[in-house]
Amino acid sequence: MVSSSHEALHRIFQQDPGLFARAARHLGVAFPPPVSTVELSTDLTETQPLERRVDTLLQMDTEDGSFLLAVESQGRPAPDKPASWAYYLSYVYAKYRIPPVLLVVCADRGTAEWAARQVDIGPRQWCSLSLRPLVLGPDDVPVIDSPDDAARDIPLTVLSAALHRRDPGADAILNALAKALKDLSADDENTATTFIELTEQGLGATQAAELWRHLMAVDLSFFQSQTAQQLRAEGRAKDLLLLLGHRGVEVSEEDRERIVGCGDPDVLGLWFSNALTATSTAEVFASDGESGADAG
């Protein structure tokens, strides 16, 4: 289970390693697509107690040879990070003897600009090592707002949604992605569900995430997986609380926990219908057979 937007921005490359070559074209760098990929250990710890881990590390085998792709998701500028990145690249090159490439993925434009700077390591008289990350930020990945374009490259669309999550075009991306995932689910529901999770986490705590949960609850109601059921329940719970707030119905902390903790979309739908006319939460919860429906 993806735990945060930080995870989504690098795990999307685990899900589809070929995404790197496609996304790098927008940076003006041509990498051949991989013919095979090996996911390597991200643990770069030595015998000392200091632990170092890269976010994602992939061995990319192409027709032109092999290289290591180290993917880092960066949320904000960090002065010590370039030194860590230089260590990562030096360590994996010494360990695997395969040329490394560092890709930094940033949903924040200021962070992307900071990360893209070349860092020269050494005294002013002689630069012994230069760090040149490839950086994907909101301005480097296009807004994919066409369902047809989204269907042609769903992983790139997920990345586009995550990087543009605070931009005005986020709604159009998510609507296009929802349509593409609806079509994908007919052939491969498990893969579609994985991309739903990555999108959910990649959007973080933004208004776009609220729209995505709504789309999952309404437009993708055909999903039957546990993850999709949970997403629909979360979306309906939020809609119910929003409706009660708009209608001025007082919701105690106990009632709120009951609503949020209900994992049954059908029960939440019934409560939502009651809430359209209810003047209290007692009236919202009052329904025949409801007491056992949302137990557990």
Side-chain angles (χ1 to χ4, degrees), residues 34-46:
V35 294
S36 66
T37 305
V38 178
E39 188 170 341
L40 304 174
S41 171
T42 60
D43 189 350
L44 308 183
T45 308
E46 294 190 89

Side-chain angles (χ1 to χ4, degrees), residues 148-272:
D148 290 339
D149 291 341
R152 278 191 286 270
D153 198 336
I154 288 177
L156 184 62
T157 307
V158 173
L159 181 62
S160 176
L163 294 182
H164 292 283
R165 62 196 183 197
R166 294 185 178 88
D167 294 346
D171 291 6
I173 300 173
L174 295 178
N175 279 288
L177 179 57
K179 174 64 169 62
L181 288 173
K182 182 175 182 179
D183 295 338
L184 173 63
S185 69
D187 299 320
D188 190 347
E189 182 177 332
N190 288 335
T191 299
T193 300
T194 297
F195 288 130
I196 288 175
E197 293 177 2
L198 282 168
T199 303
E200 167 81 6
Q201 299 302 329
L203 294 173
T206 61
Q207 290 185 347
E210 297 294 325
L211 171 62
W212 185 245
R213 281 188 284 268
H214 176 73
L215 290 173
M216 296 303 96
V218 179
D219 292 351
L220 299 183
S221 59
F222 51 84
F223 277 106
Q224 298 301 317
S225 69
Q226 183 178 358
T227 298
Q229 292 278 14
Q230 180 182 353
L231 288 172
R232 288 205 299 277
E234 289 176 1
R236 291 186 179 183
K238 288 178 179 292
D239 290 342
L240 174 56
L241 290 171
L242 185 62
L243 173 62
L244 292 172
H246 282 319
R247 298 197 65 248
V249 177
E250 184 177 350
V251 180
S252 68
E253 188 60 33
E254 182 180 355
D255 291 336
R256 181 179 298 275
E257 290 178 359
R258 183 178 182 181
I259 292 171
V260 173
C262 178
D264 189 330
D266 293 332
V267 172
L268 287 164
L270 178 60
W271 290 349
F272 188 90

Side-chain angles (χ1 to χ4, degrees), residues 11-241:
R11 282 194 58 185
I12 186 65
F13 293 92
Q14 297 177 18
Q15 180 67 26
D16 180 6
L19 173 62
F20 169 66
R22 302 195 301 276
R25 295 191 196 114
H26 300 289
L27 301 173
V29 185
F31 283 90
V35 294
S36 66
T37 305
V38 178
E39 188 170 341
L40 304 174
S41 171
T42 60
D43 189 350
L44 308 183
T45 308
E46 294 190 89
T47 56
Q48 295 94 337
L50 179 63
E51 180 177 322
R52 298 180 185 268
R53 289 183 181 271
V54 66
D55 286 338
T56 285
L57 184 62
L58 301 170
Q59 178 177 325
M60 310 284 272
D61 301 318
T62 77
E63 293 181 350
D64 291 346
S66 300
F67 66 92
L68 299 180
L69 178 64
V71 185
E72 282 279 282
S73 173
Q74 191 68 25
R76 60 182 182 274
D80 295 337
K81 205 63 178 182
S84 296
W85 290 338
Y87 172 89
Y88 297 164
L89 296 181
S90 299
Y91 180 91
V92 297
Y93 182 63
K95 180 177 181 178
Y96 297 104
R97 298 296 179 181
I98 299 174
V101 173
L102 172 64
L103 175 67
V104 183
V105 189
C106 311
D108 175 73
R109 285 179 170 82
T111 303
E113 182 178 357
W114 164 82
R117 297 176 304 168
Q118 176 175 319
V119 177
D120 295 326
I121 300 173
R124 63 179 179 82
Q125 294 89 347
W126 189 264
C127 172
S128 299
L129 182 67
S130 290
L131 178 70
R132 299 177 59 209
L134 283 174
V135 178
L136 285 174
D139 295 331
D140 303 305
V141 174
V143 171
I144 301 176
D145 53 10
S146 160
D148 290 339
D149 291 341
R152 278 191 286 270
D153 198 336
I154 288 177
L156 184 62
T157 307
V158 173
L159 181 62
S160 176
L163 294 182
H164 292 283
R165 62 196 183 197
R166 294 185 178 88
D167 294 346
D171 291 6
I173 300 173
L174 295 178
N175 279 288
L177 179 57
K179 174 64 169 62
L181 288 173
K182 182 175 182 179
D183 295 338
L184 173 63
S185 69
D187 299 320
D188 190 347
E189 182 177 332
N190 288 335
T191 299
T193 300
T194 297
F195 288 130
I196 288 175
E197 293 177 2
L198 282 168
T199 303
E200 167 81 6
Q201 299 302 329
L203 294 173
T206 61
Q207 290 185 347
E210 297 294 325
L211 171 62
W212 185 245
R213 281 188 284 268
H214 176 73
L215 290 173
M216 296 303 96
V218 179
D219 292 351
L220 299 183
S221 59
F222 51 84
F223 277 106
Q224 298 301 317
S225 69
Q226 183 178 358
T227 298
Q229 292 278 14
Q230 180 182 353
L231 288 172
R232 288 205 299 277
E234 289 176 1
R236 291 186 179 183
K238 288 178 179 292
D239 290 342
L240 174 56
L241 290 171

